[in-house]
């Protein structure tokens, strides 16, 4: 996290930086803990009080965007 509260990702292949908000950080933390999409969805529901359907859609949208930019690898 930087001082503005956004997570910065650096792509060493392209030299590009990407700023992600705190909810994206919540998702990435859950994914990094090997929880998968369900754990990331639950983390968003708990942290932000949104519906599970909305959280699942947000997780899917974020992971699709990260994959599109080659910032997320499948296991």
């Amino acid at each position: 996290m930087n001082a503005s509260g956004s997570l910065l990702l650096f792509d060493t292949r392209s030299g590009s930086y990407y700023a992600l908000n705190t909810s994206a950080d919540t998702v990435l933390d859950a994914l990094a803990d090997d929880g998968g999409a369900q754990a990331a969805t639950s983390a968003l529901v708990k942290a932000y009080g949104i519906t599970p359907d909305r959280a699942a859609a947000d997780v899917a949208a974020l992971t699709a965007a990260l994959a599109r930019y080659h910032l997320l690898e499948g296991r």
Side-chain angles (χ1 to χ4, degrees):
M1 281 282 166
N2 66 14
S4 70
S6 58
L7 174 69
L8 294 176
L9 298 179
F10 177 66
D11 183 350
T12 58
R13 293 172 295 209
S14 69
S16 298
Y17 284 94
Y18 300 88
L20 303 176
N21 63 21
T22 56
S23 60
D25 184 40
T26 300
V27 171
L28 290 179
D29 281 346
L31 294 174
D33 289 340
D34 284 335
Q38 183 59 44
T41 297
S42 295
L44 283 181
V45 169
K46 183 178 178 181
Y48 297 98
I50 60 177
T51 66
D53 288 342
R54 170 66 192 264
D58 290 349
V59 169
L62 176 63
T63 56
L66 292 173
R68 188 171 47 253
Y69 288 102
H70 307 287
L71 297 171
L72 185 65
E73 295 180 7
R75 293 180 188 222

